[in-house]
Amino acid sequence: MRGSCVPFSLSVAAALAMAACSVGMLARLPICAQKSQVLRPIHRLLSYPGTAAADARGEQPSSGTVETGSENRTPKKRFSEVQKERREQAQRTILILCPNKVSEKKFLKYLSQHGPINNHFFFESFGLYAVVEFCQKDSVASLQSSARTPSMGTDAAIPFRSRFFNLKLKSSSDQTSEQSSVPCSNQSPPSNKKLFELLRDAESIDDQLNTLLKEFQLTEENTKLRYLTCSLIEDVAAAYFPDCAVRPFGSSVNSFGKLGCDLDMFLDLDEIGKFSAHKTSGNFLMEFQVKNVPSERVATQKILSVIGECLDQFGPGCVGVQKILNARCPLVRFSHQASGFQCDLTTNNRIALKSSELLYIFGSLDSRVRALVFSVRCWARAHSLTSSIPGAWITNFSLTMMVIFFLQRRSPPILPTVDYLKTLTDAEDKCIIEGHNCTFIRDLNRIKPSGNTETLELLLKEFFEYFGNFAFNKNSINIRQGREQNKPESSPLHIQNPFETSLNISKNVSQSQLQKFVDLARESAWILYQNDKGQPSPARSQPWGLAALLLPSVTKSASRAKKSRKKPASERIKNLLESIKSGSAENSSSTNGKRTVNTES
Ligand code: GTP
Ligand code: MG
């Protein structure tokens, strides 16, 4: 077995000594500010004729004159540019637990002593918090040098100098006249009640999907808070690995994150090796003396074990730390109490970061993509097809892949295939990670928008119909090629991992969960086809369109039907759907497409 080394820095000895006696001081000055890259001009625009659906029909690439989803013509930032800017912003940012009533004006004046403030916002979690972004990083250091470690009475404090502060009032009379409450930014998704009201009042199903997206997508503030949380965790990890980076990945950055989603992050130690590589000269080569361990996995486990311990013992606001080191992908799970984020920390998860970049590109190419993904994710959650607990259910990641695949299959395609994105690359896009070719074009301004003008209503309806009738028993979903392939193994649901192509990202999904998905998809298609027959009216009291799809399912009766040896509900719905489409069942339902509120418990 290949040996691996744990890239400890010298400061680890000091940190370990501190961990042993629970006293000492871990301090870290932020890394130097990095200039954000200037946006590249649009060199050329390319369309994506390579999609299987287009190939099969012998279609010409669309002229791209009709722009549906990509109304915004301003150049779009590359994923790496966004990451770099956000990370640099986060390094200039602090988190403060404030007194309940604080004068915003005095608060800002007080902090401005340390330098100009770029922006700030307040939010409520377990208390009132402020996120303050200084213009310069030096201001953070200045504030840190003026802050004190609290005296805890009989308890002892671990004097960790982080960027998470408590603001205390010296005397309660200090804030006299202006004790109005500060405006707080919302960090939570809307309640069901509010969502149903908004959907009820929407003008069309398209409007409903866009409303849902607007209400659930991560806000600017929530995104800032996510990057700040990673940056705060990086400060802790940097006590051991000074040149490390803690990078967010998954739905926090891939443009498909919903308010309240978890925060996936990984400890990136790759930078450590890079610095030393440049400094070799002459006949000598200097290497660090390191500890060898039997495998990469053991190295990962050891690193995460120590960081987990550190977060548990010293990480301000980190609670409920669990070290899940024997999982396929070892991780440390914890709650960041102030931000309210459930965090999963792994190490060197570069392929997952690349997957996030790929999804970011798909999410940015056409505004219909995110609207559809958000609705499908909410629909799946509403019917317990997905869960926050790991198990035999479909994940949000798999659902996103299914939507992308479906959009690759439209005519003309709304999204290009991964293979096509690879054909657009330059030498600088080349990316091989752990032997896997993860190359695709990173400049999304060079991908021509789709000429497809289908409405969201139609796409949602057809998504459900497509997957309600998909041959899951023999076909695999493959977004590299944008076409079905024969399943290479017998898992009920096979979605090829786009980079580690021998892997199935939905291997965990059981036959019964897949069947539940199919049943619900058919039922939902049926409801939407029924909806065609009645136009939305402001006076309607019953949930309609998307709202009807989010209500408890009538297919609960499917199991009862099975027990009573009737034809399964999903089969009946499939047949009804066929007849509605062929126009032979004009009035097949007295509910006119409205799902009645299920009062059964
Ligand atoms: P949420 O449900 O909103 O958290 O979506 P998510 O996309 O963040 O999913 P999750 O937190 O489960 O996983 C985080 C990231 O890990 C995903 O976005 C993927 O990049 C990656 N990932 C998750 N599951 C798999 C898998 O089964 N295979 C592979 N290759 N990557 C996965
Ligand atoms: Mg996640």
Side-chain angles (χ1 to χ4, degrees):
M1 198 182 283
R2 191 162 62 88
S4 287
C5 63
V6 182
F8 265 37
S9 81
L10 268 184
S11 66
V12 77
L16 280 172
M18 191 198 74
C21 61
S22 291
V23 290
M25 196 165 80
L26 290 178
R28 182 188 172 231
L29 287 177
I31 297 169
C32 296
Q34 297 154 343
K35 272 192 211 152
S36 53
Q37 279 178 16
V38 177
L39 276 182
R40 302 171 131 251
I42 303 173
H43 295 300
R44 58 196 158 119
L45 285 173
L46 298 156
S47 62
Y48 38 94
T51 315
D55 290 351
R57 295 175 188 89
E59 287 163 1
Q60 294 300 310
S62 80
S63 64
T65 45
V66 185
E67 214 177 295
T68 48
S70 316
E71 302 81 1
N72 189 349
R73 269 276 178 197
T74 50
K76 291 170 189 160
K77 284 184 187 166
R78 285 178 186 219
F79 182 75
S80 58
E81 287 167 344
V82 177
Q83 295 276 312
K84 199 172 168 182
E85 260 174 41
R86 294 267 186 203
R87 183 171 141 77
E88 193 269 323
Q89 252 175 18
Q91 287 169 340
R92 288 185 272 113
T93 305
I94 56 171
L95 180 60
I96 307 176
L97 175 59
C98 299
N100 267 343
K101 292 234 166 167
V102 68
S103 151
E104 188 172 8
K105 203 169 141 198
K106 287 184 181 168
F107 171 78
L108 293 176
K109 190 171 168 212
Y110 170 72
L111 286 174
S112 304
Q113 297 173 77
H114 301 282
I117 292 168
N118 210 20
N119 60 59
H120 74 285
F121 64 91
F122 292 91
F123 70 95
E124 276 181 41
S125 176
F126 294 100
L128 176 69
Y129 290 86
V131 170
V132 179
E133 183 195 319
F134 285 106
C135 296
Q136 290 136 15
K137 236 195 277 188
D138 293 352
S139 307
V140 176
S142 162
L143 177 61
Q144 278 175 323
S145 65
S146 75
R148 59 172 203 159
T149 301
S151 55
M152 310 287 288
T154 51
D155 295 347
I158 297 171
F160 184 77
R161 291 163 60 87
S162 73
R163 282 181 287 141
F164 183 8
F165 302 91
N166 270 343
L167 180 70
K168 295 271 166 86
L169 294 179
K170 277 190 186 155
S171 91
S172 53
S173 60
D174 273 7
Q175 305 277 316
T176 51
S177 59
E178 297 169 71
Q179 282 193 349
S180 59
S181 47
V182 291
C184 278
S185 140
N186 176 37
Q187 307 296 321
S188 314
S191 65
N192 274 348
K193 184 171 175 283
K194 165 119 189 276
L195 178 65
F196 276 99
E197 281 168 11
L198 288 167
L199 296 182
R200 182 197 60 205
D201 297 342
E203 283 175 2
S204 61
I205 293 183
D206 279 46
D207 191 21
Q208 287 186 322
L209 268 80
N210 285 321
T211 300
L212 185 135
L213 171 65
K214 194 164 136 269
E215 292 296 314
F216 278 91
Q217 69 185 349
L218 300 184
T219 58
E220 171 64 16
E221 286 84 10
N222 194 271
T223 302
K224 279 193 167 149
L225 195 51
R226 285 171 188 269
Y227 279 86
L228 173 60
T229 305
C230 289
S231 190
L232 296 176
I233 302 305
E234 184 180 302
D235 286 354
V236 176
Y240 289 86
F241 306 105
D243 299 312
C244 74
V246 171
R247 302 187 194 280
F249 69 99
S251 60
S252 298
V253 298
N254 66 17
S255 80
F256 296 108
K258 268 183 9 196
L259 284 172
C261 70
D262 69 354
L263 172 54
D264 304 291
M265 51 176 101
F266 78 95
L267 179 68
D268 186 355
L269 300 174
D270 283 0
E271 298 297 320
I272 294 173
K274 272 188 202 158
F275 283 128
S276 48
H278 299 296
K279 292 187 182 158
T280 55
S281 62
N283 283 332
F284 292 106
L285 177 67
M286 195 68 89
E287 279 185 347
F288 288 107
Q289 180 68 246
V290 291
K291 277 210 166 186
N292 284 333
V293 290
S295 68
E296 286 287 351
R297 182 173 167 83
V298 174
T300 298
Q301 287 169 329
K302 283 185 183 290
I303 291 166
L304 284 178
S305 175
V306 168
I307 302 293
E309 202 56 37
C310 215
L311 290 175
D312 198 17
Q313 305 290 336
F314 315 119
C318 299
V319 297
V321 179
Q322 288 172 273
K323 297 194 251 175
I324 308 169
L325 303 178
N326 289 324
R328 188 181 60 82
C329 182
L331 73 138
V332 173
R333 178 165 288 168
F334 60 96
S335 294
H336 191 257
Q337 218 174 17
S339 59
F341 296 139
Q342 175 73 31
C343 305
D344 277 353
L345 173 71
T346 52
T347 63
N348 286 358
N349 216 339
R350 291 214 151 256
I351 295 198
L353 188 64
K354 210 60 192 166
S355 303
S356 304
E357 179 169 6
L358 182 65
L359 294 195
Y360 167 84
I361 289 182
F362 283 134
S364 311
L365 280 179
D366 188 298
S367 65
R368 287 169 295 182
V369 181
R370 292 176 65 236
L372 203 56
V373 168
F374 271 69
S375 291
V376 170
R377 282 185 172 203
C378 279
W379 166 83
R381 192 77 186 90
H383 295 289
S384 306
L385 283 168
T386 51
S387 164
S388 54
I389 309 160
W393 12 92
I394 285 183
T395 62
N396 279 328
F397 184 53
S398 295
L399 284 173
T400 308
M401 291 291 182
M402 290 167 98
V403 176
I404 290 170
F405 182 74
F406 165 74
L407 295 176
Q408 291 172 334
R409 303 292 300 160
R410 302 308 294 164
S411 173
I414 293 178
L415 286 177
T417 66
V418 180
D419 277 347
Y420 179 67
L421 294 180
K422 193 170 162 212
T423 65
L424 304 180
T425 54
D426 289 336
E428 56 154 10
D429 291 318
K430 188 167 178 194
C431 175
I432 311 285
I433 304 172
E434 294 159 17
H436 302 287
N437 195 330
C438 305
T439 306
F440 54 83
I441 189 161
R442 294 172 304 158
D443 181 357
L444 42 112
N445 297 301
R446 289 167 54 193
I447 308 163
K448 194 173 179 181
S450 167
N452 180 307
T453 57
E454 287 168 320
T455 62
L456 281 168
E457 176 178 351
L458 179 78
L459 291 170
L460 185 65
K461 207 183 299 180
E462 302 238 333
F463 171 85
F464 289 129
E465 199 186 342
Y466 182 76
F467 283 113
N469 295 299
F470 192 84
F472 288 108
N473 57 338
K474 60 178 187 12
N475 286 336
S476 157
I477 291 164
N478 180 321
I479 68 158
R480 276 212 81 88
Q481 299 180 6
R483 70 177 89 212
E484 300 100 352
Q485 288 201 309
N486 287 338
K487 272 206 301 195
E489 39 123 321
S490 61
S491 304
L493 175 61
H494 193 281
I495 304 176
Q496 191 198 50
N497 180 323
F499 301 126
E500 295 164 276
T501 50
S502 63
L503 300 182
N504 172 11
I505 67 159
S506 51
K507 206 175 169 60
N508 61 311
V509 178
S510 66
Q511 185 59 46
S512 63
Q513 284 299 317
L514 178 64
Q515 192 56 49
K516 189 174 163 191
F517 171 87
V518 169
D519 291 348
L520 282 160
R522 286 179 184 176
E523 184 193 325
S524 298
W526 174 68
I527 289 170
L528 289 175
Y529 275 104
Q530 284 293 297
N531 199 84
D532 278 350
K533 300 171 173 219
Q535 290 306 307
S537 91
R540 58 168 71 199
S541 55
Q542 288 289 340
W544 60 276
L546 180 59
L549 303 188
L550 301 179
L551 287 172
S553 166
V554 293
T555 51
K556 273 184 187 163
S557 61
S559 55
R560 288 197 292 271
K562 258 184 207 160
K563 277 181 202 150
S564 62
R565 300 213 180 113
K566 278 188 199 158
K567 223 177 187 184
S570 101
E571 276 305 311
R572 295 202 308 272
I573 290 168
K574 189 181 169 190
N575 296 339
L576 265 174
L577 196 55
E578 287 306 316
S579 54
I580 290 168
K581 287 179 77 184
S582 64
S584 62
E586 273 301 306
N587 290 306
S588 56
S589 166
S590 57
T591 60
N592 200 20
K594 292 168 197 158
R595 194 186 278 176
T596 47
V597 180
N598 189 348
T599 50
E600 283 176 44
S601 60

